[in-house]
């Protein structure tokens, strides 16, 4: 079984400041790692994922996450946030070679202030 | 393509009533799952299916039933609704060929 811990329930930042949302996972098997974003009153959508290869993965809107196997972490970063990045962010893990049904963390609410 | 469609979007039930939340997908994905989202709890897996005729329990299955008679549909049944089942419910699909999970827009259920 896998589990995910998101260390911050809420992260307030000012616009154009950098941000890091922290995620640690636990698993006895190899995993795939994901960040999903949920805008108000919507479903979840994939932001980025790590399957294999380069440990640094990027999204099209400037977010990046780095897989650190030794620290079992997959932190999400953005060098300069916008008001439109205000949303709930979920870290998720699934067993590689499994059924791709992810286990989610409790979520981090990113609040960007002008 | 509609993707993953959930109905209804909103529902109010009285304690003890039963109802079915519908989930339909047109992506031909093998895997379908139901999650509930509660404040501070993230998404918790209720039930999932790896193909037609095959279902299994997730983390919080009590009070819910599922069946999967076709690839496209995966209904979630509440047999006797309780206030503790007040939540937002999400259906998701995924497949062997695509590791990403695709979500419906959610059903907001209130049990009074």
């Amino acid at each position: 079984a896998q589990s995910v811990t998101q260390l911050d329930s809420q992260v307030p930042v000012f616009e154009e400041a950098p941000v890091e949302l922290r995620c640690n996972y636990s698993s006895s098997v190899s995993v795939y790692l994901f960040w999903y974003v949920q805008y108000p009153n919507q479903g979840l959508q994939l932001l980025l994922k790590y399957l294999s290869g380069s440990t640094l993965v990027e999204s099209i809107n400037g977010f990046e996450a780095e897989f650190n196997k030794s620290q079992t972490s997959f932190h999400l970063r953005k060098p300069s946030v916008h008001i439109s990045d205000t949303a709930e962010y979920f870290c998720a893990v699934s067993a590689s070679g499994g059924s791709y049904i992810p286990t989610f963390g409790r979520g981090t609410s990113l609040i960007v202030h002008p | 393509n509609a993707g993953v469609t959930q109905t209804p979007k909103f529902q109010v039930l009285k304690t003890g009533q039963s109802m079915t939340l519908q989930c339909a997908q047109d992506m031909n994905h093998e895997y379908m799952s139901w999650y509930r989202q509660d404040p501070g709890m993230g998404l918790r897996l209720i039930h999932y299916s790896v193909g037609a005729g095959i279902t299994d329990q997730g983390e919080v299955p009590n009070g819910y039933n599922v069946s999967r008679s076709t690839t496209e549909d995966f209904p979630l049944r509440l047999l006797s609704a309780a206030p503790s089942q007040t939540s937002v419910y999400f259906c998701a699909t995924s497949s062997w060929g695509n590791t990403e999970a695709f979500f419906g827009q959610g059903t907001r259920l209130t049990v009074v």
Side-chain angles (χ1 to χ4, degrees):
Chain A
Q2 298 81 42
S3 67
V4 176
T5 302
Q6 290 184 244
L7 296 161
D8 305 293
S9 60
Q10 202 172 82
V11 174
V13 294
F14 287 106
E15 195 172 20
E16 298 184 5
V19 70
E20 178 180 80
L21 307 184
R22 297 179 293 168
C23 172
N24 287 92
Y25 71 92
S26 173
S27 177
S28 57
V29 299
S30 296
V31 297
Y32 296 145
L33 292 158
F34 308 85
W35 277 99
Y36 286 84
V37 60
Q38 183 182 33
Y39 298 104
N41 299 314
Q42 294 187 23
L44 280 72
Q45 54 189 281
L46 183 69
L47 187 61
L48 47 75
K49 62 185 177 183
Y50 170 79
L51 305 181
S52 64
S54 173
T55 57
L56 184 66
V57 291
E58 299 177 351
S59 72
I60 59 173
N61 57 353
F63 283 94
E64 64 179 31
E66 185 159 19
F67 170 55
N68 188 318
K69 188 175 182 179
S70 63
Q71 297 189 1
T72 60
S73 67
F74 191 56
H75 301 332
L76 182 70
R77 302 182 181 95
K78 189 171 185 180
S80 176
V81 294
H82 301 287
I83 295 286
S84 59
D85 292 324
T86 295
E88 191 84 14
Y89 292 80
F90 292 94
C91 183
V93 62
S94 66
S96 63
S99 59
Y100 308 132
I101 294 175
T103 298
F104 287 87
R106 295 192 172 195
T108 298
S109 179
L110 175 63
I111 303 168
V112 182
H113 298 288
Chain B
N1 285 351
V4 183
T5 303
Q6 288 184 237
T7 54
K9 288 186 170 50
F10 302 93
Q11 183 71 49
V12 179
L13 287 179
K14 293 182 179 179
T15 298
Q17 285 185 317
S18 63
M19 80 160 294
T20 299
L21 308 185
Q22 301 291 346
C23 176
Q25 56 120 344
D26 61 1
M27 307 171 81
N28 202 31
H29 284 175
E30 303 94 329
Y31 309 124
M32 297 187 74
S33 49
W34 277 102
Y35 294 86
R36 60 176 290 173
Q37 182 179 20
D38 302 291
M41 300 298 291
L43 277 79
R44 292 180 291 170
L45 184 64
I46 304 171
H47 285 285
Y48 65 96
S49 169
V50 299
I54 307 170
T55 64
D56 206 347
Q57 296 181 350
E59 180 186 355
V60 289
N62 292 341
Y64 308 95
N65 275 357
V66 293
S67 60
R68 182 105 179 264
S69 56
T70 67
T71 300
E72 293 79 17
D73 299 299
F74 191 45
L76 178 71
R77 297 182 185 84
L78 283 71
L79 303 178
S80 178
S84 61
Q85 294 178 303
T86 293
S87 187
V88 181
Y89 292 85
F90 287 100
C91 179
T93 72
S94 53
S95 72
W96 276 105
N98 190 329
T99 55
E100 174 184 354
F102 294 84
F103 285 82
Q105 291 297 296
T107 295
R108 186 173 296 273
L109 176 68
T110 303
V111 183
V112 298

